[in-house]
Amino acid sequence: MSIMTDFTERIYPLVPIVHQPTFHAELAANRDINDLDFLCLIIALSALTVGLLPSRFDAYHALASRFGTRTAMINYCSQMCLRLRPADYWDHLSHRKWAVAFALSMGVFQTGQTNQSRMFEAESMQIARLLELHRTSEYEGLNAIETQLRKKAFWLQLYTFAHSKIQPGRRNHVTYLDNYMLREVDFDALEPLNLLDEHILDTGAVGRSPAVLPARLNSNGEDDSFNTTSAFIITSRVFLKGMRESMFNDGCDCGFGRTPEERLSRLRDLLDDLRYLLDGLPPHLRQWRPGDSYHSPDKPFYNDASIDQDPFGEVHLLHAQNEVTRANLHVTHLWLQNFLLDRMDAVIQEMDNSRLQTTANTSHLKLNWREREDICRQLLHILHSIPHPYLEPNGLFLIYKVRDVASSLLSCPLAMDEHVSRRASEFVQEFTKVLSYLDRSEIVNTDGLKSWIDEGRRGNKDI
């Protein structure tokens, strides 16, 4: 099945919601014939794959000829999963049922169906809560495969939770964890083992790679032990560092760091820590690594023709997966830095309104703007140096991050000279070009807006 191949090769490094050897064995054994949960999982993964890979839709000839659009196909998948649920579906919970809800939520989101995505997301969060993925004590008695799957599921669910905390338009989403539960979470213990699926069996882990990724990376050359799971762990650490202040303290009445000065100092420390968090990455995952057209005697040659023909061919598969994860890691890293700068600017504006240290605040704003320009330069370098086939599996999530960084340029300080405003304008124009070819949504995405209709307020005379 080409669609399942695309999932495992292109999407799995970013969305590891199955144990690959087990999944492939069950797929080969046609387990979907007798197992409704596995059938729903295949359907949900198909929806996710079609959602994240617009350019591949025409390659699925049977699907393209029957449905015509990705939206129609994904809607059919979601409805089929709902119809397949028996009456006692919710009496037995599992990681697989969480994976179905999570995959459907991501799949429908890619085509702009935010209301449907929100409901599947609420399902996945409820299952995650009931399975208590956030409590290390609940992992006792699970085999190694199930433990690894649930730990990865926790971090994937945490990503959606963090977005609901920081994006104003998503405040109407059900939240995964509250402030008190967050303070009990042992994030270090919930990191998955730094091993590929092939090295994790029911009975335990095998392989040469260190099972626990060091807290501080220290790589001076190519590191064979650094794999796609390692990249997932590092991305999770980056995400936690950048979102920690918002997740833990927004809406909290405990009084921690409530003065503007304390919040500004805390945000500055977080930004400094976050900026250098990726030091020590292996060369092939660093931000400035050579693009596919680069050639040196000790590196394989990748030219534009080979990338266009088969970017995920067997020969280049590992390279392609590294590029997919590299794009996600560095775009997320830069987006989070920009997010912290936005928070700092908001605190400075609050201090200005209170007329606290006005001169110092202006200096802070100028310094923040210079850092923002540097982030934009780095982000454009990443987007232009990584070919589109490797950016595409990141889906609308990457597009939204780029859009957030670009939109922050609209607040260019008027007090700064015209060269600054000209550079800001050039950055915005360049980001607009990038977004025009990255965003392949079939429906205008209204995430952040109230896009549903309250039937009780329509003045329906039949009521």
Side-chain angles (χ1 to χ4, degrees):
M1 297 175 66
S2 61
I3 195 167
M4 289 296 101
T5 300
D6 281 347
F7 167 75
T8 56
E9 292 182 351
R10 300 169 187 245
I11 296 173
Y12 174 81
L14 300 178
V15 193
I17 57 178
V18 299
H19 179 255
Q20 289 209 69
T22 302
F23 177 72
H24 289 307
E26 293 178 338
L27 197 63
N30 296 320
R31 182 166 180 172
D32 53 292
I33 296 176
N34 301 311
D35 188 334
L36 283 180
D37 287 347
F38 187 68
L39 175 59
C40 287
L41 178 63
I42 293 176
I43 296 170
L45 293 180
S46 299
L48 173 63
T49 304
V50 169
L52 285 171
L53 303 177
S55 67
R56 295 287 297 161
F57 184 60
D58 289 338
Y60 313 135
H61 302 297
L63 296 179
S65 61
R66 176 176 178 179
F67 296 105
T69 65
R70 292 159 53 235
T71 301
M73 184 269 178
I74 292 172
N75 286 341
Y76 186 85
C77 288
S78 63
Q79 291 303 307
M80 181 179 290
C81 285
L82 293 176
R83 289 195 298 267
L84 287 172
R85 294 178 179 179
D88 62 347
Y89 183 78
W90 297 116
D91 293 341
H92 303 272
L93 297 180
S94 64
H95 171 273
R96 181 162 289 173
K97 289 184 178 179
W98 171 86
V100 169
F102 188 81
L104 289 174
S105 173
M106 290 185 66
V108 297
F109 179 78
Q110 299 305 311
T111 56
Q113 301 179 88
T114 54
N115 293 324
Q116 190 174 184
S117 175
R118 183 186 297 112
M119 296 308 173
F120 283 124
E121 182 184 317
E123 271 191 11
S124 68
M125 282 191 288
Q126 183 62 61
I127 296 173
R129 284 281 293 268
L130 293 174
L131 293 177
E132 297 192 283
L133 301 182
H134 60 288
R135 296 187 187 277
T136 54
S137 60
E138 295 302 314
Y139 287 80
E140 296 180 8
L142 299 176
N143 63 44
I145 292 176
E146 187 70 15
T147 298
Q148 184 82 340
L149 283 172
R150 293 194 181 199
K151 286 184 175 181
K152 290 179 179 179
F154 165 77
W155 288 101
L156 290 170
Q157 196 67 69
L158 190 73
Y159 298 163
T160 64
F161 163 70
H163 281 290
S164 70
K165 292 279 285 186
I166 69 166
Q167 294 179 337
R170 293 172 65 90
R171 295 292 176 88
N172 48 38
H173 287 221
V174 178
T175 56
Y176 174 37
L177 303 171
D178 59 36
N179 295 81
Y180 300 101
M181 296 172 70
L182 275 171
R183 285 173 170 77
E184 297 176 356
V185 175
D186 186 347
F187 291 99
D188 292 338
L190 287 172
E191 285 188 356
L193 294 178
N194 181 34
L195 294 170
L196 295 173
D197 285 355
E198 291 77 8
H199 301 301
I200 298 179
L201 310 176
D202 283 338
T203 54
V206 296
R208 296 182 304 163
S209 301
V212 178
L213 196 67
R216 182 172 293 276
L217 300 176
N218 184 20
S219 175
N220 297 318
E222 295 291 344
D223 188 354
D224 293 336
S225 67
F226 201 97
N227 50 58
T228 53
T229 305
S230 310
F232 178 83
I233 295 171
I234 294 299
T235 303
S236 299
R237 290 178 182 177
V238 168
F239 207 92
L240 179 62
K241 175 68 71 173
M243 294 292 188
R244 195 176 190 95
E245 186 73 5
S246 293
M247 287 196 302
F248 278 73
N249 296 311
D250 280 8
C252 179
D253 298 324
C254 64
F256 173 78
R258 304 313 295 173
T259 67
E261 293 83 357
E262 288 175 321
R263 280 182 283 150
L264 185 60
S265 176
R266 172 63 175 161
L267 289 168
R268 170 57 64 183
D269 291 342
L270 279 174
L271 180 60
D272 290 340
D273 291 343
L274 182 63
R275 185 182 293 112
Y276 303 108
L277 196 59
L278 298 185
D279 286 3
L281 278 176
H284 66 277
L285 282 177
R286 291 176 184 170
Q287 187 184 116
W288 55 84
R289 78 166 298 279
D292 286 330
S293 58
Y294 175 80
H295 175 65
S296 67
D298 59 337
K299 287 184 177 292
F301 181 74
Y302 298 100
N303 55 43
D304 292 337
S306 65
I307 289 298
D308 289 339
Q309 290 173 4
D310 193 4
F312 287 82
E314 184 176 353
V315 176
H316 305 321
L317 181 58
L318 180 59
H319 165 78
Q321 292 179 337
N322 285 334
E323 289 295 273
V324 170
T325 55
R326 186 168 75 95
N328 177 53
L329 177 58
H330 289 290
V331 171
T332 300
H333 184 229
L334 294 170
W335 169 68
L336 288 169
Q337 291 179 62
N338 187 78
F339 165 70
L340 290 178
L341 287 174
D342 287 343
R343 297 296 302 273
M344 291 169 64
D345 285 353
V347 174
I348 292 170
Q349 292 293 343
E350 180 183 339
M351 295 169 68
D352 273 347
N353 293 337
S354 303
R355 289 178 169 77
L356 298 173
Q357 304 176 354
T358 305
T359 304
N361 294 345
T362 302
S363 300
H364 277 302
L365 284 174
K366 289 183 178 180
L367 177 62
N368 287 357
W369 186 260
R370 285 194 289 270
E371 293 192 35
R372 198 183 298 279
E373 285 189 338
D374 186 53
I375 288 171
C376 290
R377 278 189 287 269
Q378 293 179 62
L379 182 55
L380 285 171
H381 168 72
I382 284 290
L383 295 173
H384 286 307
S385 65
I386 298 180
H388 180 265
Y390 308 141
L391 296 174
E392 185 180 43
N394 289 275
L396 281 183
F397 307 107
L398 179 141
I399 293 168
Y400 273 36
K401 292 169 185 174
V402 173
R403 191 172 292 157
D404 281 350
V405 174
S407 62
S408 69
L409 294 168
L410 300 178
S411 60
C412 178
L414 297 177
M416 301 182 76
D417 60 56
E418 62 177 342
H419 299 291
V420 174
S421 59
R422 187 183 70 249
R423 287 197 299 271
S425 176
E426 291 173 352
F427 281 135
V428 170
Q429 291 178 28
E430 193 62 31
F431 279 125
T432 302
K433 292 178 184 177
V434 172
L435 290 169
S436 67
Y437 71 77
L438 284 180
D439 193 347
R440 299 282 298 277
S441 303
E442 294 178 350
I443 301 174
V444 175
N445 200 309
T446 56
D447 191 36
L449 301 176
K450 182 178 178 179
S451 55
W452 62 90
I453 297 172
D454 184 346
E455 291 286 347
R457 298 181 181 276
R458 297 181 65 187
N460 192 334
K461 297 180 180 180
D462 296 332
I463 297 178

